[in-house]
Amino acid sequence: MSDTPFGFGLPPEEPEDGDEGKKKDPQSGGGQGPANPFGFGGLPGAGGFGAPGADNPLAAMFGSLNPNDLGAAFQQLGQMLSYEGGPVNWDMAKQIARQTVAQGTADGVKDASVGPSERTAVQEAVRLADLWLDDATSLPSGAGTAVAWSRAEWVEATLPAWKELVDPVAERVGAAMGDVLPEEMQAMAGPLIGMMRSMGGAMFGSQIGQAVGVLAGEVVGSTDIGLPLGPAGRAALLPVNIEAFGKDLGVTKDEVRLYLALREAAHQRLFAHVPWLRSHLFGAVEGYARGIKVDTAKLEDVVGQFDPQNPEQLQDALQQGMFQPEDTPAQKAALARLETALALVEGWVDAVVHAAAKPRLSSADALRETLRRRRASGGPAEQTFATLIGLELRPRRLRDASRLWASLTDARGVDGRDALWAHPDMLPTASDLDDPDGFVHREQLDFSELDKMLGEAAGGGSGHKPNLKKDDEGTDSEDDGTE
């Protein structure tokens, strides 16, 4: 854990719209983060074990600063302790995310503003991708605009979605911080509880900011994790990350950009024309979060030994797993719903993009496998979800879902496959992913007569009621009562 309370460094020297920031002295917050960027410790500006002042958190925080920087550091500390907002200090999260972006990635690649030529290239790639997708899906284009983002711009655009995803879990931890004291003591301990909640919001803010900042150095678009993180109808790609992604693949930059544009545009079609999908996915995350159980025994122990001069005790407790999913049937069902929903989105995109790219791009197979392995090896989605809501996705579901959607295309055609998105109850379940052939070839009732009946009833028709039954061929037919 960092010797600096909460791992806070100095305020960032960051660029506007992702311009390359000034390189800072390692002692003043310019050092690269740790190998595990999603932990609390090791945030920019933090000293390591054995650093000067390791036994004194105030010395660790201020000892290496020159007098001109002390004012900014004290201001940051004051902001932390005076925070009275929700369960997460999102101002701090944004600041740390931007600072992390300004430092660059571990391989030394810095963020940079997107130039006119790169913006034009992204717009043309998305436009061409949409043309190709017209043959692969019945869903029309969902990208009203195509934009090229820097990493800093990605952070700014996606923070509202992160807030919606993370707040449900953070609220449970924040409430628990005030509930661990006996009721008769809470009135006397009011200032302490307020301080704890402020620091809890800061701890979540620092963790989320670091996670989002590192993720900004990896993602290539706004939908990499299978959720619509950006504004609706806006297909976005990150040119600096696309170049890093394709660096050692032996594939031309144009093909890499176009393949990733296909994926982004396919996601946009799905989220734009399946109106219930976004709320379904975010609702599944919230449903899972409701089953998060706070380890009150651990929290009580921390509160009982709380030392205002050693606030990193709270951070350490949270880092060591203060909240865990409940091992109940309801929580397991919530996890299955979330994993299945995300797998179905990713699997559909994988299948549709492959159908559009395979006849046109010689590198389609290689790019597809690269992206699949990226997810399976613990890419952005798995790491971020595991950090922010305690959830580890199962990458194998992606391949299962992709096979199912491809089989549905063969059996029912593009229109029949995409029609399943009309309602969540029509989608495959987790058990269907285990047995895709069973789902694909399951008998589907023909509801055309029922629709006709309802239409006639609404229009004052004859009231003829069809009797749907199976004929000898196994298809639906109408029995009108005659021989």
Side-chain angles (χ1 to χ4, degrees), residues 108 111 226 274 283:
D111 193 19
V274 182

Side-chain angles (χ1 to χ4, degrees), residues 446-457 466:
D446 181 2
F447 290 102
S448 59
E449 285 296 330
L450 181 59
D451 291 339
K452 180 180 178 182
M453 177 195 74
L454 294 174
E456 290 176 348

Side-chain angles (χ1 to χ4, degrees), residues 1-4 6-10 26-32 40-48 51 60:
M1 188 180 69
S2 167
D3 293 318
T4 303
F6 300 100
F8 298 153
L10 294 179
Q27 294 294 326
S28 61
Q32 180 61 38
F40 289 102
L43 293 181

Side-chain angles (χ1 to χ4, degrees), residues 233-264:
R234 186 174 299 176
L237 295 177
L238 282 72
V240 65
N241 290 354
I242 290 176
E243 184 170 355
F245 171 80
K247 183 178 180 181
D248 299 320
L249 295 181
V251 180
T252 65
K253 184 178 179 179
D254 289 342
E255 283 203 17
V256 172
R257 183 194 303 112
L258 184 52
Y259 191 87
L260 296 176
L262 281 166
R263 289 182 53 82
E264 178 74 8

Side-chain angles (χ1 to χ4, degrees), residues 81-429:
L81 295 178
S82 63
Y83 175 72
E84 297 180 351
V88 177
N89 189 330
W90 285 103
D91 291 337
M92 179 169 289
K94 177 180 175 180
Q95 180 185 18
I96 292 178
R98 291 291 300 261
Q99 179 175 348
T100 304
V101 164
Q103 288 182 329
T105 52
D107 57 3
V109 178
K110 294 284 188 175
D111 193 19
S113 296
V114 180
S117 61
E118 291 175 316
R119 295 187 187 279
T120 300
V122 166
Q123 291 168 355
E124 291 178 350
V126 172
R127 188 180 302 114
L128 181 57
D130 258 335
L131 289 175
W132 290 4
L133 288 171
D134 285 339
D135 297 332
T137 175
S138 61
L139 299 180
S141 174
T145 58
V147 295
W149 283 342
S150 67
R151 293 166 179 170
E153 288 172 323
W154 183 91
V155 168
E156 296 279 353
T158 61
L159 273 180
W162 290 118
K163 186 177 188 298
E164 190 174 349
L165 287 167
V166 175
D167 273 352
V169 175
E171 284 174 359
R172 296 184 65 84
V173 177
M177 285 184 170
D179 294 340
V180 295
L181 291 178
E183 186 174 351
E184 61 273 13
M185 293 180 59
Q186 290 190 12
M188 294 184 295
L192 176 60
I193 293 175
M195 182 183 297
M196 290 173 58
R197 286 179 172 168
S198 294
M199 288 188 292
M203 287 187 293
F204 266 106
S206 65
Q207 182 190 25
I208 294 162
Q210 181 74 357
V212 171
V214 173
L215 189 60
E218 300 176 358
V219 295
V220 294
S222 70
T223 55
D224 275 28
I225 68 170
L227 292 174
L229 297 179
R234 186 174 299 176
L237 295 177
L238 282 72
V240 65
N241 290 354
I242 290 176
E243 184 170 355
F245 171 80
K247 183 178 180 181
D248 299 320
L249 295 181
V251 180
T252 65
K253 184 178 179 179
D254 289 342
E255 283 203 17
V256 172
R257 183 194 303 112
L258 184 52
Y259 191 87
L260 296 176
L262 281 166
R263 289 182 53 82
E264 178 74 8
H267 276 105
Q268 294 295 335
R269 288 185 180 223
L270 195 58
F271 291 125
H273 299 291
V274 182
W276 54 265
L277 183 57
R278 187 185 191 279
S279 60
H280 179 75
L281 288 169
F282 280 70
V285 174
E286 185 175 356
Y288 179 81
R290 283 196 297 267
I292 293 292
K293 179 180 179 181
V294 179
D295 189 343
T296 55
K298 180 181 294 185
L299 190 56
E300 287 174 359
D301 182 62
V302 173
V303 172
Q305 303 177 27
F306 177 69
D307 178 3
Q309 291 188 351
N310 191 19
E312 63 252 43
Q313 288 178 8
L314 289 176
Q315 177 179 336
D316 189 42
L318 191 60
Q319 183 181 5
Q320 292 176 7
M322 186 179 292
F323 55 96
Q324 299 292 338
E326 290 183 334
D327 188 18
T328 63
Q331 183 68 348
K332 290 178 180 178
L335 176 61
R337 285 195 299 272
L338 179 55
E339 288 181 334
T340 301
L342 289 170
L344 290 174
V345 169
E346 287 293 282
W348 183 88
V349 169
D350 181 76
V352 167
V353 168
H354 185 69
K358 177 69 172 175
R360 300 176 173 96
L361 294 179
S362 59
S363 59
D365 288 332
L367 289 170
R368 183 190 201 188
E369 188 60 27
T370 297
L371 286 163
R372 283 179 164 186
R373 290 182 179 181
R374 187 182 190 222
R375 173 64 61 87
S377 62
E382 290 76 40
Q383 292 179 357
T384 303
F385 270 87
T387 300
L388 301 186
I389 62 174
L391 172 66
E392 293 184 4
L393 302 179
R394 290 182 293 173
R396 68 178 179 84
R397 300 277 81 181
L398 166 60
R399 293 180 184 267
D400 295 339
S402 182
R403 283 195 295 268
L404 187 148
W405 288 118
S407 297
L408 281 169
T409 307
D410 294 338
R412 305 181 190 179
V414 168
D415 291 344
R417 177 201 66 200
D418 293 347
L420 293 177
W421 290 106
H423 192 277
D425 290 344
M426 298 175 65
L427 290 178
T429 63

